[in-house]
Amino acid sequence: MGEKIRIQKIIAESGYCSRRKAEELIREGVVTINRLPAEIGQSVDPSDCTIRIGSRVLAGQQKKVTFMMNKPKGIVCSNDDPVGFKTVFDLMRPDDIKRRIYCAGRLDMDSEGLMILTNDGKFANKLTHPSRSVIKRYHVELSKPFDRSLTPKLLKGRSLDDEWLKFDKVIAGSVSAGMATKIEVHLNHGKRREIRRLMESFGYFIRKLKRFQVGDLVMKKLGPGKYRELTEKEIKMLM
């Protein structure tokens, strides 16, 4: 016998759909446990029962997969974009997206670089939860040379649109090496367009923003729009 878990959480972590959608399916009477209608909040041991959605048995022991992708600029991180932009999932093979892969952390449409895509809801939550403080590293190219005296202000942060935005580390490029407009930014959290918004508040606009590392995992030898499955060792490096 295993641990009892709420039915909507089991469905979400199987990769079938989101938790909110799972609750909708339960309300509609589509979900059964051992042929009996499920109830929202009902806790069961997934190893000791049969869960069905319609006539389909839930793949409770579905293989967990995690991918690394080099997201190109102009691509949206969304399972369903109503405006019609191309999404990261349009870049994936049909057999891979059948498992309901979703983004563990996002990059805005104008940014590029390392994306983590998975069907493991528990792992995605661990990776993105603020309490884990997983460091993300970015290469940033600015519209003008960076003033190093600004670094303490970026580390302290400031309130913008009722959010406190700050960087955890800033590494300025070498002026002598022609890198005056380039910086490296580290974040252990993630807010909407945080790097862009904070830099713009100090008068800097971003020409290019690329995430190259999450945790200890560094993206190497992966062309724009390409992706591959991570090894168990690489998944541990993310945490």
Side-chain angles (χ1 to χ4, degrees):
M1 298 289 286
E3 177 188 3
K4 288 192 174 184
I5 306 169
R6 291 186 177 184
I7 182 63
Q8 60 265 35
K9 183 176 180 181
I10 295 172
I11 295 171
E13 291 187 351
S14 77
Y16 184 88
C17 63
S18 68
R19 192 177 302 196
R20 181 175 295 180
K21 180 62 178 178
E23 291 176 354
E24 291 178 8
L25 293 174
I26 295 168
R27 289 191 187 95
E28 293 168 4
V30 177
V31 181
T32 61
I33 302 170
N34 294 336
R35 301 286 185 182
L36 298 175
E39 297 179 4
I40 292 176
Q42 182 176 356
S43 295
V44 296
D45 177 358
S47 67
D48 193 42
C49 66
T50 301
I51 301 169
R52 287 182 172 83
I53 300 178
S55 60
R56 174 181 170 180
V57 176
L58 184 69
Q61 301 302 315
Q62 181 185 39
K63 181 190 174 186
K64 304 299 184 186
V65 291
T66 300
F67 300 100
M68 171 172 63
M69 175 184 285
N70 184 354
K71 185 190 94 66
K73 183 178 179 179
I75 301 295
V76 176
C77 297
S78 172
N79 288 74
D80 181 26
D81 185 71
V83 180
F85 290 114
K86 195 170 186 179
T87 76
V88 290
F89 303 100
D90 293 322
L91 303 177
M92 301 185 74
R93 294 180 291 271
D95 285 348
D96 289 330
I97 58 177
K98 280 181 182 177
R99 315 184 215 203
R100 187 175 169 78
I101 303 295
Y102 49 95
C103 302
R106 298 177 180 241
L107 287 171
D108 65 59
M109 187 171 71
D110 295 323
S111 299
E112 56 190 278
L114 176 56
M115 282 291 306
I116 303 300
L117 306 160
T118 186
N119 68 343
D120 187 340
K122 188 174 292 186
F123 171 70
N125 288 335
K126 287 181 179 179
L127 184 61
T128 57
H129 197 279
S131 65
R132 293 282 176 166
S133 298
V134 178
I135 294 290
K136 277 80 68 177
R137 303 186 181 192
Y138 303 80
H139 286 145
V140 183
E141 184 176 343
L142 304 171
S143 58
K144 60 183 180 181
F146 178 69
D147 182 352
R148 292 168 181 260
S149 68
L150 181 62
T151 298
K153 295 179 181 179
L154 294 172
L155 299 180
K156 179 181 178 181
R158 60 168 43 167
S159 178
L160 294 171
D161 302 321
D162 297 323
E163 286 187 300
W164 192 266
L165 307 184
K166 64 182 287 292
F167 298 160
D168 291 283
K169 189 172 184 178
V170 178
I171 302 173
S174 169
V175 175
S176 61
M179 303 282 284
T181 61
K182 296 182 180 180
I183 60 174
E184 181 178 313
V185 173
H186 297 187
L187 299 177
N188 70 1
H189 53 282
K191 296 185 175 75
R192 179 182 59 85
R193 297 174 68 87
E194 182 164 13
I195 297 176
R196 295 182 187 277
R197 291 162 62 200
L198 188 54
M199 291 307 301
E200 287 174 9
S201 76
F202 287 104
Y204 290 83
F205 291 90
I206 292 176
R207 288 178 176 169
K208 185 175 181 179
L209 194 157
K210 183 173 184 177
R211 182 162 63 200
F212 67 94
Q213 183 171 345
V214 176
D216 288 332
L217 180 68
V218 180
M219 185 175 66
K220 296 178 180 178
K221 298 179 181 179
L222 197 64
K226 302 299 182 182
Y227 74 100
R228 65 173 177 81
E229 187 171 352
L230 294 180
T231 65
E232 286 297 323
K233 180 180 179 180
E234 288 174 322
I235 290 173
K236 290 178 180 178
M237 291 172 69
L238 286 167
M239 303 305 296

